[in-house]
Amino acid sequence: MPSTYLCIDLKSFYASVECIDRGLDPLQASLVVADPDRGRSTICLAVSPALKRLGIPGRCRVFELPSDVPYIMATPRMRRYMEVSAQVYQTYLGFVGEQDVHAYSVDECFIHIGPYLNLYDCDARTLAHRMIEAVRLATGVPATVGIGPNLFLAKVALDLFAKTDAEGIAELSPASFFDRTWFHQPITDIWGIGRGVAARLRAHGVVDLAGVAALDPAVLRREFGKNAEYLIDHAWGQEPCTMEQIRSYHPKGRSLTSGQVLPKPYALDQVRLVVSEMAESISADLMESGLMAGAVGLSVGYELPATDRRASTASVCAPEHTGDARSPSSADHAVWVNPNRVHQGGQRVLPHPTCSYAKLREAALKILETVVPAHGLVHRVNISVSRIIASGDAQASLFDEPADTRSERCLRGTLGEVRRRFGKSAVLYGISLREGATARERNRQIGGHRA
């Protein structure tokens, strides 16, 4: 039986939910989802379709919204969006089995419908229409659908054609793929090709998928390594990955990441405070999951005083790269530069795997000292831990004090139990009460936004 996939996207999901909860038509109301407390420079999480039809992009900043267009500003409610997303997922399960649904994000999913077309005695477009109509009746949220014989073609059909189709449904076959998308520009509209990849392709004279297909595969492999195989497959409309492979995939390694955009530029002393809080949160997550990490990574975005920007930019990045992200090298520190901000990061391999707050904090702060100058003003911080193993798999070290280790484990276990029962802010380290600390506010959020 030939494979047939749907890629379903909930139209302006956050904005649609806010419109529906206000009794408004999500396709006609003018509404943006943004947190007014974060100022006019904050990014809109979503804008309604009516505003998009006026040419307003979905991820603009509040100050970029036209002053002559009236609109409602809705404060994000992430818990509510997750509730509706779960309701939509259950609606899909009324048509297909759980094994044939892959949630790609909170508002987008892939569904393998090939095995169900005979059951429902209809074609793919008819079944797709029934499913999005069921979602609309259950939640009020409109949806668009891409249909294709593989995951890639379904996604491309959604991104390039379904969102402008009168019914919100578009289908690509292997033949129509070449006719409709091979010469489509910009190439960044194609799933999996971002600005960095597009810039590297452009250096070889490639601006569309037809150019990728025409380029010597050896050149692509030298430029992109293993990732070249994805480009080559997609240039010919092929996607070897199936739903079964997605569900059976188990990564070789694991990592945990926590990141935040700071409410204002922070001086280095304040950033040390924030990094300490984030290390404590990562430590708690490791402890609760019975895991240990063997490496700590930290990346920060910071601004330099105006007098230092030109010199710093020239020393870090060649002029022709200014403003474009470069692929990280194999060096310990990777650097990206735009005319106003610098992004730097580093990683430290720990002597022994650990979940100790003190050791994770120490490693993160050492990285911070090496990547941010004393006068840098930090606006973004990300901390990660990798080389994760189960606590039971770690070998004892001659340099660890067993009594200290047991004491910290006992303390962290007690803290975790209290926080599970009474909330994350029930017990805090003293640093979280200092000016500039962000843990209390973030404990009230989901995904960095208001719950």
Side-chain angles (χ1 to χ4, degrees):
M1 180 181 299
S3 295
T4 305
Y5 290 89
L6 305 182
C7 185
I8 305 181
D9 175 64
L10 303 176
K11 203 172 182 70
S12 299
F13 179 49
Y14 298 165
S16 292
V17 172
E18 294 295 345
C19 288
I20 292 160
D21 285 354
R22 288 167 169 76
L24 304 174
D25 184 342
L27 297 178
Q28 301 301 326
S30 296
L31 182 144
V32 301
V33 179
D35 189 346
D37 292 342
R38 295 192 177 188
R40 288 178 51 78
S41 63
T42 190
I43 294 177
C44 299
L45 298 186
V47 305
S48 63
L51 292 176
K52 287 185 177 180
R53 289 194 293 270
L54 298 177
I56 300 173
R59 300 286 286 179
C60 65
R61 296 185 182 273
V62 170
F63 70 79
E64 295 175 317
L65 294 168
S67 58
D68 58 342
V69 175
Y71 59 85
I72 298 169
M73 180 177 290
T75 301
R77 298 180 298 155
M78 300 307 295
R79 184 172 288 110
R80 173 58 178 159
Y81 307 147
M82 293 170 67
E83 291 172 356
V84 177
S85 179
Q87 188 178 359
V88 171
Y89 184 81
Q90 289 300 317
T91 303
Y92 296 148
L93 296 185
F95 290 86
V96 300
E98 184 177 0
Q99 72 278 4
D100 291 307
V101 182
H102 171 60
Y104 186 59
S105 67
V106 70
D107 62 347
E108 193 169 332
C109 75
F110 290 97
I111 302 177
H112 185 207
I113 62 167
Y116 301 92
L117 296 179
N118 287 338
L119 173 65
Y120 292 110
D121 191 25
C122 65
D123 59 16
R125 189 179 186 93
T126 300
L127 182 55
H129 187 272
R130 291 179 185 175
M131 293 179 74
I132 62 173
E133 181 63 13
V135 168
R136 189 189 66 78
L137 292 174
T139 67
V141 178
T144 53
V145 188
I147 306 171
N150 60 48
L151 296 164
F152 175 69
L153 291 186
K155 175 64 171 170
V156 172
L158 170 73
D159 290 342
L160 299 190
F161 308 112
K163 295 177 181 181
T164 57
D165 182 84
E167 292 187 331
I169 301 174
E171 186 171 1
L172 278 179
S173 65
S176 63
F177 166 77
F178 295 111
D179 293 337
R180 302 182 68 185
T181 68
W182 230 24
F183 299 98
H184 177 87
Q185 294 183 31
I187 196 172
T188 49
D189 288 344
I190 304 298
W191 186 35
I193 301 181
R195 287 181 293 180
V197 172
R200 294 164 71 181
L201 288 172
R202 191 163 56 248
H204 296 281
V206 175
V207 295
D208 51 32
L209 289 179
V212 175
L215 193 62
D216 185 349
V219 173
L220 287 169
R221 292 186 177 104
R222 282 197 304 271
E223 180 70 35
F224 297 102
K226 291 182 178 180
N227 289 336
E229 305 305 324
Y230 300 110
L231 287 171
I232 294 169
D233 283 341
H234 290 174
W236 294 100
Q238 299 173 0
E239 175 54 73
C241 183
T242 64
M243 190 69 73
E244 293 76 15
Q245 290 173 319
I246 291 175
R247 299 194 69 84
S248 62
Y249 173 72
H250 296 285
K252 292 182 180 179
R254 295 183 58 185
S255 64
L256 293 175
T257 301
S258 175
Q260 59 178 299
V261 176
L262 300 175
K264 61 181 181 180
Y266 272 31
L268 191 56
D269 284 344
Q270 288 181 305
V271 178
R272 292 191 187 100
L273 175 65
V274 172
V275 169
S276 298
E277 289 185 306
M278 296 172 75
E280 195 276 328
S281 177
I282 287 277
S283 172
D285 290 341
L286 288 170
M287 184 75 72
E288 187 169 344
S289 302
L291 301 172
M292 297 177 125
V296 177
L298 184 78
S299 64
V300 295
Y302 65 89
E303 297 179 356
L304 294 172
T307 56
D308 295 339
R309 286 178 184 168
R310 180 176 298 178
S312 174
T313 301
S315 65
V316 174
C317 188
E320 61 267 27
H321 291 297
T322 300
D324 291 331
R326 295 187 299 168
S327 294
S329 66
S330 58
D332 216 19
H333 298 284
V335 182
W336 299 264
V337 175
N338 70 25
N340 298 317
R341 291 181 174 179
V342 179
H343 299 266
Q344 284 191 284
Q347 178 174 288
R348 278 184 173 264
V349 177
L350 302 171
H352 307 284
T354 184
C355 57
S356 165
Y357 162 49
K359 293 178 180 178
L360 297 177
R361 175 180 177 272
E362 179 185 14
L365 290 178
K366 284 183 177 178
I367 300 172
L368 180 68
E369 301 297 337
T370 63
V371 298
V372 179
H375 52 290
L377 297 175
V378 176
H379 60 86
R380 181 189 297 270
V381 182
N382 290 277
I383 186 171
S384 63
V385 290
S386 56
R387 303 191 181 190
I388 291 178
I389 62 172
S391 297
D393 295 338
Q395 293 184 340
S397 166
L398 295 175
F399 303 99
D400 287 336
E401 293 290 340
D404 292 344
T405 302
R406 285 195 299 270
S407 176
E408 181 168 6
R409 282 185 174 276
C410 182
L411 172 62
R412 304 294 298 179
T414 302
L415 289 177
E417 180 61 29
V418 172
R419 287 167 172 170
R420 280 192 295 273
R421 291 184 61 185
F422 301 106
K424 290 184 178 181
S425 294
V427 180
L428 295 168
Y429 279 77
I431 59 172
S432 294
L433 302 178
R434 292 171 55 186
E435 182 180 357
T438 62
R440 285 183 295 172
E441 176 62 27
R442 286 176 60 78
N443 287 342
R444 296 194 289 265
Q445 299 175 347
I446 296 176
H449 301 284
R450 291 192 185 184

